[in-house]
Amino acid sequence: MADESNLCEESHHVCQPIHTIEDLLQFEQNPVSWRNLVLPITPRSKSRYLGAEYQEIDFDDGAVEFVEDRDRPQVLLCHDFKGNYLADRYINGTTGGQWVDYRFYNWAAIDVFCYFSHHFVTIPTLQWLNCAHKNGVRVIGTFIIEGGNVMLLKEILQSEVFLRKVADALVTVAKVCQFQGWLLNIECTLESEKMPLLKQFVAYLTRRSHEQIPGSEIIWYDAITEQGVLSWQNELNSQNKSFFEACDGIFLNYTWTRQHLERSESIIRSRYPDRKLDVYVGIDVFGRGQKAKLDTHDTLAAIRKFEFSVAIFAPGWTFESLEESMRRDQLDQESSNLRFLKLNNRFWNLLWRYLFVRGPKQLPFYTSFCLGSGKLRNRLGKHESDSWFNLSRQWFQPSIPYTPPKENEHDNVGPVYWTHSFDTALDGGSCVKLEEAHPNCRLFACDFACDSDLIVSYAFQRSSAASADVCLLLKAYDRRYHNSLKIVCGSDECHVSGRKNEMKAHLLSVEDCRTLPKLKADIRLPAMTNINGWEIRYYYLAFKTLGQPVSIVDIGVEIWKDYPKDYILLGAISLQAGFPTSRTRVAKRTTVSFDM
């Protein structure tokens, strides 16, 4: 994938799986070199269901409904991409080679990401760990036993003492590498007399994981029965329930029918009334079992009727399925990237109305929309290097997928709201390109508590002199009275409507921008109005009443343009807490009040 001639293949430069029990047991004596490079999980908001209108912000008054995460179906994304440990295995990424490969960026709807391979112990790579954690998603590895390595399982189950030793080693691996548990994929036959020991192994691993790693999860894959027979049940039943009882959840195989789900629902209702969401119904995106590929949304809709959780396996289909046509058509990397993004976004757009989303909630917040690769890498709009691939550099991504272009006039697909652009970037390898945008186009469903004042900034670039413009939209929400306020952050010339709950924020002057660093503001964008061809706008929102239950629950954009081909590049968005005691030093501050 990458130009590896300049890359060292020594173990301390790459992430690798564990192949033997001996290496697993010795892991603590030879820990991975990158263990201190793992980023913590970024906090996210509670969940929201945005329905079919997820692309548009509703600024009308009324309750914004947040759902506790354990009160709604979960989404497990199981990443099986051509065996994994490809370009993503390099700790520092790759440069100078191919930059187009599978990248996942629809994190807002994902609760758990599983890094999967057919190696004995699959440790998630640093790139995927950091990519998921930056977007607030927990990560689990894979412990797998298949027919070819069944002797490993028999060795592990030689005694209760030894199985505990192996389970403790798995907990150590997860703790040291800072991921949050394991998928247990036991896909082989086993002597019935060994089954009690296997159940002990699952139960002990689960208990020790909970003790050592807060928030950890152990998920059992439905393959082997309680008698040791390799027989996929496709449902929760008497043949696999003891494994379900021993861990945090079960990942059902893909060839289920409605009757399987009905029987699973029946056993949940009678025996485990509080554990329905611990049943993850499998969907193989390649279609090995159910309708999938671009019809995956139909299968997801069927699962949602039962309100089970879902495990989406092999989402990399959106890239793998195109590789033959990319070669046949002799596409260059840019064209290949566009083809992938088009299919990938069409795929997730079809799923989105069935999913709950979570967005950012922690200040300071910053994103440059970089996907973790590019044909160039920029810093503050200045070219630093050529092609690169490093998922660790992916920034927080929008809470919604963009709508891809229509294939024909009969497609039931809306207009293009935004796309990723790789032609230039403010920070990283990509930014957001706005060609057509609904007046209330949502980028983020979020929950930033306004306990203090708020400093808002964004950077953008126009396609031509002054023929297009953009403003950032914030929805402030009062949880006590369920009132909403639309705050428009645009140029001095932008206008707001006459609606009572809409106000215009004052654009800070050059002098005010220079004041922010003096107040020790930890700003990510330069305290200036432009840099290297990118315009920067700052706003200081001074809340009239502090300490009230007010938060920013949506961030959106709106554009204007004189010519159809014009567009706006959105390079970055930044929000951070302000300084109420020093707010008078900012001359053009904006007073925010719901009393309008």
Side-chain angles (χ1 to χ4, degrees):
M1 182 270 181
D3 179 4
E4 299 177 7
S5 60
N6 297 319
L7 296 168
C8 178
E9 282 284 2
E10 294 180 16
S11 61
H12 60 278
H13 284 155
V14 298
C15 300
Q16 302 177 88
I18 296 174
H19 300 285
T20 68
I21 295 175
E22 181 181 8
D23 287 342
L24 174 60
L25 296 177
Q26 292 179 354
F27 178 84
E28 200 166 10
Q29 285 72 49
N30 302 288
V32 295
S33 62
W34 48 267
R35 61 192 181 279
N36 295 324
L37 301 177
V38 181
L39 298 174
I41 300 176
T42 301
R44 291 194 293 178
S45 68
K46 292 180 182 178
S47 302
R48 288 167 66 185
Y49 177 66
L50 303 177
E53 304 301 322
Y54 56 84
Q55 291 171 322
E56 300 177 18
I57 302 174
D58 180 3
F59 286 99
D60 291 337
D61 292 336
V64 176
E65 296 184 1
F66 288 89
V67 181
E68 293 292 340
D69 295 318
R70 288 303 302 176
D71 291 340
R72 49 84 181 165
Q74 306 289 291
V75 178
L76 167 67
L77 191 75
C78 195
H79 179 56
D80 174 35
F81 184 66
K82 299 189 291 186
N84 276 321
Y85 295 106
L86 303 172
D88 62 302
R89 72 186 184 274
Y90 295 105
I91 294 170
N92 297 315
T94 62
T95 57
Q98 186 173 330
W99 58 274
V100 178
D101 206 335
Y102 180 71
R103 289 139 293 168
F104 182 76
Y105 46 92
N106 296 109
W107 294 104
I110 307 304
D111 297 290
V112 182
F113 174 81
C114 176
Y115 191 75
F116 183 91
S117 82
H118 291 278
H119 300 291
F120 173 44
V121 176
T122 297
I123 301 175
T125 67
L126 177 65
Q127 288 191 38
W128 277 106
L129 273 170
N130 283 345
C131 187
H133 283 183
K134 267 189 183 181
N135 285 276
V137 174
R138 303 189 305 278
V139 179
I140 61 177
T142 305
F143 174 85
I144 191 168
I145 300 291
E146 297 175 289
N149 62 350
V150 66
M151 293 308 297
L152 288 175
L153 183 58
K154 293 180 179 180
E155 184 178 349
I156 291 169
L157 302 179
Q158 61 183 274
S159 68
E160 184 176 339
V161 171
F162 196 74
L163 70 84
R164 290 189 171 205
K165 192 174 181 181
V166 172
D168 284 334
L170 288 172
V171 174
T172 296
V173 170
K175 187 174 182 179
V176 168
C177 297
Q178 300 176 61
F179 58 95
Q180 291 73 49
W182 297 96
L183 170 67
L184 305 182
N185 191 163
I186 310 301
E187 208 159 356
C188 63
T189 56
L190 187 67
E191 294 87 345
S192 58
E193 57 267 25
K194 290 286 187 181
M195 295 309 295
L197 287 171
L198 179 58
K199 295 171 191 176
Q200 284 189 47
F201 174 76
V202 176
Y204 181 78
L205 175 62
T206 302
R207 177 168 63 82
R208 292 293 290 161
S209 294
H210 292 173
E211 292 171 353
Q212 295 293 316
I213 308 171
S216 60
E217 291 185 81
I218 305 298
I219 307 295
W220 175 263
Y221 174 60
D222 158 44
I224 187 175
T225 70
E226 297 187 4
Q227 291 74 41
V229 178
L230 182 60
S231 177
W232 298 267
Q233 299 301 294
N234 301 293
E235 66 182 28
L236 177 63
N237 60 24
S238 61
Q239 296 300 306
N240 54 28
K241 65 180 177 61
S242 64
F243 297 112
F244 179 67
E245 293 168 355
C247 67
D248 297 303
I250 187 169
F251 180 153
L252 298 183
N253 188 50
Y254 318 106
T255 55
W256 48 267
T257 64
R258 180 181 177 85
Q259 288 69 38
H260 286 107
L261 299 190
E262 288 174 346
R263 288 193 292 268
S264 297
E265 186 175 52
S266 177
I267 193 172
I268 283 288
R269 187 167 51 246
S270 62
R271 298 181 63 101
Y272 315 103
D274 298 326
R275 296 198 62 191
K276 186 171 189 177
L277 301 179
D278 296 335
V279 177
Y280 292 82
V281 181
I283 303 176
D284 183 342
V285 179
F286 277 82
R288 294 165 289 205
Q290 295 290 324
K291 288 175 64 178
K293 302 177 180 178
L294 284 179
D295 292 320
T296 298
H297 60 287
D298 288 338
T299 303
L300 177 59
I303 296 170
R304 280 292 180 258
K305 290 178 181 178
F306 288 86
E307 296 186 339
F308 286 123
S309 294
V310 63
I312 301 174
F313 184 78
W317 169 83
T318 57
F319 191 92
E320 288 188 66
S321 64
L322 296 175
E323 288 186 296
E324 183 178 345
S325 67
M326 290 174 181
R327 288 191 294 267
R328 182 189 65 237
D329 297 340
Q330 298 182 331
L331 298 186
D332 58 20
Q333 291 195 68
E334 288 188 58
S335 299
S336 296
N337 191 49
L338 289 173
R339 186 172 290 187
F340 159 65
L341 292 175
K342 184 177 180 180
L343 179 61
N344 193 65
N345 286 293
R346 185 177 297 277
F347 174 84
W348 285 100
N349 194 273
L350 290 167
L351 299 185
W352 220 247
R353 68 186 59 214
Y354 303 106
L355 302 174
F356 290 79
V357 300
R358 301 172 67 190
K361 65 172 287 186
Q362 186 179 54
L363 295 175
F365 169 74
Y366 172 83
T367 182
S368 68
F369 305 101
C370 178
L371 284 185
S373 77
K375 60 181 179 181
L376 51 81
R377 182 162 63 212
N378 283 356
R379 176 62 186 137
L380 294 179
K382 187 175 181 180
H383 182 222
E384 284 191 338
S385 67
D386 291 327
S387 59
W388 62 283
F389 187 96
N390 187 348
L391 297 174
S392 289
R393 293 179 176 269
Q394 185 179 117
W395 281 106
F396 227 118
Q397 296 298 310
S399 305
I400 64 167
Y402 76 73
T403 307
K406 294 183 178 181
E407 292 288 344
N408 56 66
E409 61 181 355
H410 303 296
D411 275 359
N412 185 25
V413 178
V416 179
Y417 285 100
W418 56 271
T419 62
H420 281 99
S421 173
F422 291 79
D423 292 328
T424 187
L426 176 79
D427 183 8
S430 59
C431 61
V432 161
K433 184 177 182 179
L434 300 163
E435 296 178 279
E436 298 290 341
H438 186 278
N440 295 327
C441 174
R442 175 184 278 116
L443 282 180
F444 293 101
C446 52
D447 191 17
F448 294 113
C450 300
D451 300 325
S452 178
D453 291 347
L454 197 63
I455 300 172
V456 178
S457 59
Y458 62 96
F460 70 99
Q461 200 173 90
R462 310 170 199 257
S463 58
S464 59
S467 62
D469 205 350
V470 62
C471 67
L472 204 65
L473 309 176
L474 305 179
K475 179 177 179 176
Y477 174 64
D478 186 331
R479 296 173 185 271
R480 182 176 44 181
Y481 300 113
H482 305 305
N483 294 331
S484 294
L485 180 64
K486 180 179 180 180
I487 305 172
V488 181
C489 302
S491 67
D492 287 334
E493 292 75 30
C494 84
H495 299 283
V496 298
S497 70
R499 56 187 293 167
K500 65 175 184 176
N501 67 336
E502 183 171 348
M503 65 173 295
K504 178 180 175 181
H506 302 303
L507 179 63
L508 295 192
S509 64
V510 175
E511 291 74 19
D512 279 335
C513 289
R514 291 172 179 167
T515 299
L516 296 178
K518 297 176 183 178
L519 296 176
K520 302 189 185 312
D522 183 23
I523 55 179
R524 288 298 303 261
L525 292 173
M528 55 183 66
T529 57
N530 60 78
I531 185 170
N532 298 322
W534 291 85
E535 298 180 54
I536 303 174
R537 289 174 176 167
Y538 273 93
Y539 308 84
Y540 190 98
L541 305 183
F543 288 84
K544 183 177 180 181
T545 306
L546 294 174
Q548 300 299 313
V550 173
S551 57
I552 303 299
V553 296
D554 285 298
I555 300 175
V557 288
E558 188 168 330
I559 67 170
W560 301 268
K561 57 183 186 176
D562 295 331
Y563 306 105
K565 292 185 178 180
D566 284 344
Y567 59 85
I568 291 287
L569 296 178
L570 185 60
I573 295 175
S574 176
L575 280 75
Q576 71 167 97
F579 308 92
T581 59
S582 303
R583 62 169 60 152
T584 56
R585 296 177 62 181
V586 182
K588 294 193 69 175
R589 64 187 180 276
T590 302
T591 299
V592 179
S593 172
F594 283 82
D595 302 325
M596 299 179 66

